């Protein structure tokens, strides 16, 4: 799926391929180990391994069931990544004894402390990143710097990254087959992963639709918009109202809020349905709230009114996962960069909230598909 972003500069030409040298990810923990309990909170560095591959290696080397190994999030394979794991404390001596074996397999144990509970998915604040862009001319580097400064203030669309969908991009198809009883999976963890890929695919389609709508509102006059809007159901009549279109165009941010959108306090907090668009638009511009899209499931807080007219096309009621809302828009933090003209390389560091993809941020920055 070709993503649509809000910056309109011509694509920035450079070379970036994730590798252990040019792509580094560091998990920002939600809490520190408390020094007591039946689990170990372990900080590891892995290279050229997916989180699933790392868990399998630890399971085989330590003799611990993979289900007993906890992690807060999935980390990129083609990178050097630092992340936290939890294992039962009864394996502490085995972990200490197997350090060399693990290091030969690409896993280095950096810290190990007792903790009271198993690490669960989502138990992190976010991630910090280092990327190195190569073959970047001075002119292209200046374009990148200008775009970085804009993105620091504006934020960007929070798509799921392509790696969410597997090497061939087809994981979501497999998830849909499971829903249709066309495929069965013995491994429940893999089955849940494929189903969540299908959730993610639906979210990306919804976000792309909203970004197209935002671009039209941003670039078209009310009269031009009337002639372009088609197949939006209840939105047809709304967006043919010049007064409403002017109100939408008056919103300072690119992503236009609609009545009935579900917003979430940022960077974390409760979800609520937007009633006063003008007031919430002001809070959105101040990074206090952000709109959200559906990760459909049985506990989903649904949009209402006009916003629901778009959302319902991307909700599959067959999904019996928990269901939640995902930020449709996020802000990058701690941005720093250094350009080295003698080697035509730029090094960029930044941090993102949990669940956001560095590769998606790079796509927004470069204004072209990642890869």
């Amino acid at each position: 799926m070709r993503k649509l972003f809000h910056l309109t500069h011509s694509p920035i030409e450079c070379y970036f391929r994730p590798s252990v040298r040019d792509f580094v990810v560091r998990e920002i923990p939600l809490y520190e180990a408390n020094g007591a309990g039946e689990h170990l909170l372990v900080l590891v560095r892995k290279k050229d391994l997916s989180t699933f591959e790392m868990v399998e290696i630890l399971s085989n080397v330590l003799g611990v069931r993979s289900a007993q190994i906890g992690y807060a999030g999935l980390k990129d394979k083609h990178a050097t990544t630092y992340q936290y794991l939890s294992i039962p404390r009864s394996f502490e001596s085995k972990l200490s004894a197997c350090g060399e074996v693990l290091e030969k397999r690409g896993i280095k144990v950096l810290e190990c402390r007792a903790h009271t509970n198993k690490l669960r998915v989502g138990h992190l604040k976010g991630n910090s990143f280092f990327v190195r862009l190569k073959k970047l001319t001075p002119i292209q580097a200046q374009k990148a710097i200008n775009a970085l400064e804009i993105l620091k203030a504006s934020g960007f669309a929070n798509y799921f990254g392509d790696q969410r969908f597997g090497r061939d991009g087809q994981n979501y198809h497999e998830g849909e087959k499971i829903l249709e009883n066309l495929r069965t999976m013995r491994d429940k963890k893999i089955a849940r992963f494929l189903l969540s890929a299908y959730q993610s695919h639906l979210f990306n389609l919804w976000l792309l639709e909203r970004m197209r709508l935002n671009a039209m509102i941003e670039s078209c006059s009310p009269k031009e918009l009337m002639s372009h809007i088609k197949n939006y159901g209840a939105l047809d009549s709304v967006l043919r109202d010049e007064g409403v279109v002017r109100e939408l165009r008056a919103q300072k941010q690119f992503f236009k809020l609609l009545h009935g959108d579900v917003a979430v306090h940022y960077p974390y907090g409760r979800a609520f349905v937007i009633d006063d668009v003008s007031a919430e638009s002001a809070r959105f511009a101040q990074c206090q709230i952000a709109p959200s899209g559906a990760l459909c499931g049985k506990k989903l807080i649904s949009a209402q009114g006009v916003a629901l007219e778009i959302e319902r096309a991307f909700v599959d009621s067959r999904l019996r996962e928990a269901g939640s809302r995902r930020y449709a828009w996020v802000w990058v933090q701690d941005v720093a960069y250094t350009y080295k003209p003698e080697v035509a390389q730029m090094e960029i560091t930044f941090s993102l909230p949990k669940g956001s993809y560095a590769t998606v941020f790079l796509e927004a920055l470069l204004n072209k598909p990642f890869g």
Side-chain angles (χ1 to χ4, degrees), residues 56-66 68 91 94 98:
E56 183 178 1
I57 291 171
L58 287 166
S59 175
N60 292 335
V61 171
L62 302 180
V64 57
R65 290 188 296 111
S66 59
Q68 293 179 286
F91 290 89
K94 190 71 176 291
C98 293

Side-chain angles (χ1 to χ4, degrees), residues 23 26 51 98 175 210 216 321:
F23 189 27
R26 295 179 183 271
T51 299
C98 293
R210 285 296 294 265
M216 291 176 65
E321 304 303 291

Side-chain angles (χ1 to χ4, degrees), residues 38-55:
E38 298 180 354
H39 298 268
L40 291 174
L41 201 59
V42 185
L43 174 61
V44 299
R45 183 194 69 199
K46 67 177 180 66
K47 295 183 178 182
D48 273 332
L49 293 171
S50 70
T51 299
F52 288 148
E53 289 170 339
M54 176 180 61
V55 167

Side-chain angles (χ1 to χ4, degrees), residues 264-271 327:
V264 183
H265 290 271
Y266 193 89
Y268 42 77
R270 66 179 181 85
Y327 287 115

Side-chain angles (χ1 to χ4, degrees), residues 153 251-253 255 257 262-268 270-291 329 331:
Q251 294 184 32
K252 295 180 180 180
Q253 73 285 346
F255 194 104
L257 301 181
V262 179
V264 183
H265 290 271
Y266 193 89
Y268 42 77
R270 66 179 181 85
F272 63 96
V273 177
I274 292 177
D275 181 44
D276 187 337
V277 171
S278 178
E280 301 307 341
S281 174
R283 292 211 291 165
F284 181 21
Q286 295 168 5
C287 310
Q288 296 177 0
I289 66 166
W329 200 263
W331 287 269

Side-chain angles (χ1 to χ4, degrees), residues 115-371:
H115 192 60
T116 50
N117 60 273
K118 179 182 178 181
L119 199 58
R120 303 288 182 181
V121 173
H123 284 197
L124 73 162
K125 288 182 180 178
N127 296 283
S128 64
F129 301 90
F130 165 88
V131 298
R132 181 181 287 109
L133 305 180
K134 299 179 178 180
K135 300 182 181 179
L136 193 65
T137 67
I139 292 176
Q140 297 296 307
Q142 188 57 57
K143 284 176 63 176
I145 290 170
N146 294 342
L148 279 169
E149 293 300 326
I150 294 172
L151 288 170
K152 281 166 61 175
S154 69
F156 64 100
N158 191 33
Y159 295 98
F160 283 95
D162 292 343
Q163 61 268 48
R164 185 74 178 84
F165 306 107
R167 182 178 300 176
D168 58 359
Q170 300 300 303
N171 280 355
Y172 73 92
H173 279 307
E174 299 305 309
E176 191 171 16
K177 287 179 182 178
I178 292 173
L179 276 182
E180 295 171 347
N181 295 318
L182 297 177
R183 179 173 182 181
T184 57
M185 295 288 299
R186 289 186 177 181
D187 190 322
K188 292 183 179 180
K189 183 178 289 188
I190 298 298
R192 287 195 299 269
F193 178 73
L194 294 174
L195 287 169
S196 67
Y198 179 55
Q199 281 180 312
S200 304
H201 173 66
L202 293 175
F203 173 91
N204 272 10
L205 291 177
W206 167 85
L207 183 52
L208 177 62
E209 190 77 349
R210 285 296 294 265
M211 291 296 285
R212 285 172 176 159
L213 180 61
N214 295 329
M216 291 176 65
I217 293 170
E218 191 82 8
S219 61
C220 297
S221 69
K223 288 185 178 179
E224 289 173 331
L225 195 59
M226 287 182 199
S227 65
H228 283 82
I229 292 294
K230 294 179 181 178
N231 302 321
Y232 273 97
L235 278 180
D236 280 354
S237 59
V238 173
L239 294 176
R240 292 183 190 281
D241 184 325
E242 288 193 32
V244 172
V245 173
R246 288 194 183 94
E247 288 179 1
L248 290 170
R249 286 172 60 85
Q251 294 184 32
K252 295 180 180 180
Q253 73 285 346
F254 177 83
F255 194 104
K256 309 304 180 187
L257 301 181
L258 299 173
H259 285 281
D261 266 329
V262 179
V264 183
H265 290 271
Y266 193 89
Y268 42 77
R270 66 179 181 85
F272 63 96
V273 177
I274 292 177
D275 181 44
D276 187 337
V277 171
S278 178
E280 301 307 341
S281 174
R283 292 211 291 165
F284 181 21
Q286 295 168 5
C287 310
Q288 296 177 0
I289 66 166
S292 68
L295 294 177
C296 43
K298 58 187 178 183
K299 295 182 180 179
L300 177 67
I301 300 173
S302 295
Q304 297 179 15
V306 174
L308 180 59
E309 293 301 317
I310 296 179
E311 180 171 285
R312 63 165 39 114
F314 305 100
V315 172
D316 191 329
S317 60
R318 297 173 300 175
L319 274 164
R320 305 311 297 163
E321 304 303 291
S324 62
R325 307 294 306 191
R326 173 181 170 85
Y327 287 115
W329 200 263
V330 293
W331 287 269
V332 64
Q333 301 289 328
D334 309 316
V335 178
Y337 47 84
T338 301
Y339 179 58
K340 299 179 178 180
E342 66 277 10
V343 289
Q345 295 180 4
M346 178 178 282
E347 297 176 352
I348 308 173
T349 59
F350 56 95
S351 60
L352 294 172
K354 65 180 182 181
S356 297
Y357 287 74
T359 50
V360 172
F361 172 69
L362 288 177
E363 287 181 307
L365 170 65
L366 303 177
N367 202 20
K368 67 177 186 177
F370 171 72

